[in-house]
Amino acid sequence: MNDVRGPRKHRVRRAIFITVGSILGVLALGLGVILTVGGIFVPATYLQPWSASYYRQFNDPRMQVVAQAVLAPSGHNMQPWTIRLDKTNPDVLYLYTDPTRLTPAVDPLARQTMVSDGTFLAYLQVSAAHLGYDASLELFPQGTYNEAALTTSMSKLPVARITLAKDSSVKASDYTSLFLSDTNRSPYTATALTSTQTTALTALAADSSTTLSILSDEKDTTALGRFGVEGTLIETQYAAATKESDAVFHSTEQSKNAARSGFAVEGQGTSGIMKYVLQGLITIIPAVNDDAAGAKNAIALTDAGVAHTASYGLISTKGNTRTEQVRAGILYAQFCLHARTLGLVMQPLSQVLQEYPTMAGPYAAIHADYAPDGQTIQMLVRIGTPTSQYPVSMRRDANALVHSP
């Protein structure tokens, strides 16, 4: 008799190969769809300002420094800045707060927005120094805001008058740090800041009315970590804050190119091909990143972060005037930049400092513990040596900041 097992085995193997090949083909097709929806073929124009040569498209030195100041960190990455170029003096420009870019749910008093104005000014000064200019600042040159008509005042009154003056002696400290991610939410190493690092960073506040404290004692790191977790938990349970964050979250390359501000998956540390996979999944299956999933992820990131943090930083002011808020932002940006120069990274944990009703308890508690003489804590950050690098986030085109009030 002929042995029929050989042909039968061949048919079985062939069927298996066809089945496996079909499955792999379907998976590859599905992955291709996800990656395409996620924007893998879309140029990321929202990252253009991160190029060290981006500023060179401008001939006006004022626009050159604006082009690099836009890299500054800001609350919710809203980049609430507009600028006006003085038509009569080619060395002068003005910074205004953009009232259309406020986040009133989490920042009802616009305090964080003013801190963000300060970060812009600090980055601008570093950029100016690199280009051979001294950038002098006059805060609120036309007077401070009318708090009863805040948004109108923001449109009419500049936060700062900036004057550029050629000065080859000015020192361009921390320039390369402009182009590094300003926030790193990953766990840090167990090593606390050294005394040399602490001294170098706290010295930034030596000539300032703003206070910078770095705390590495176990009692403080435990307490401040708890405040960070509690603030995150309360914010995720605050419906108005969730709605506000949802409105500025962009899950595709197309929407990121259009907005160039706000949140995206990079804020979770996602980069490379996984960025496009996650963006595609979120677009196709929104439940992947619904409010419940987002809250769970935010709490998990904070829990993991504070569990691997050996040092914290606090920036405080004697009062809480608009000028003090801006100066706190200037110091915070200087702190960020020099920390990165030293090989350190940081993450703001300032939810506990927000001024809406459900945050009132922990807000009062952290001030009682760390601002007993009535100061205002403007920033709380975790700081340390990174275990992984974080991607940079969206930035607006410098031309979009120019306006005529």
Side-chain angles (χ1 to χ4, degrees), residues 325-395:
Q325 292 165 3
V326 174
R327 292 196 183 282
I330 292 173
L331 179 57
Y332 170 59
Q334 293 169 340
F335 182 29
C336 286
L337 290 170
H338 198 53
R340 295 201 291 274
T341 299
L342 297 176
L344 303 168
V345 294
M346 63 180 65
Q347 175 197 355
L349 290 177
S350 292
Q351 291 89 341
V352 71
L353 306 178
Q354 294 168 350
E355 301 96 339
Y356 48 87
T358 54
M359 198 67 77
Y363 178 96
I366 192 172
H367 279 81
D369 290 346
Y370 292 96
D373 296 324
Q375 307 98 320
T376 298
I377 304 173
Q378 302 289 352
M379 293 295 300
L380 165 64
V381 303
R382 49 186 290 260
I383 179 171
T385 303
T387 57
S388 63
Q389 296 302 318
Y390 248 58
V392 295
S393 55
M394 298 172 282
R395 286 301 186 273

Side-chain angles (χ1 to χ4, degrees), residues 230-295:
E230 184 178 12
T232 300
L233 178 61
I234 291 172
E235 185 178 81
T236 60
Q237 296 172 340
Y238 182 34
T242 300
K243 183 178 179 181
E244 194 168 72
S245 295
D246 288 347
V248 297
F249 180 81
H250 306 287
S251 61
T252 68
E253 294 298 282
Q254 293 89 337
S255 63
K256 287 153 72 176
N257 281 336
R260 299 183 66 146
S261 63
F263 296 136
V265 298
E266 290 92 331
Q268 303 169 14
T270 309
S271 60
I273 194 169
M274 286 307 300
K275 176 180 75 170
Y276 302 108
V277 170
L278 184 54
Q279 288 180 164
L281 288 172
I282 290 172
T283 303
I284 297 170
I285 312 171
V288 170
N289 196 49
D290 62 11
D291 289 346

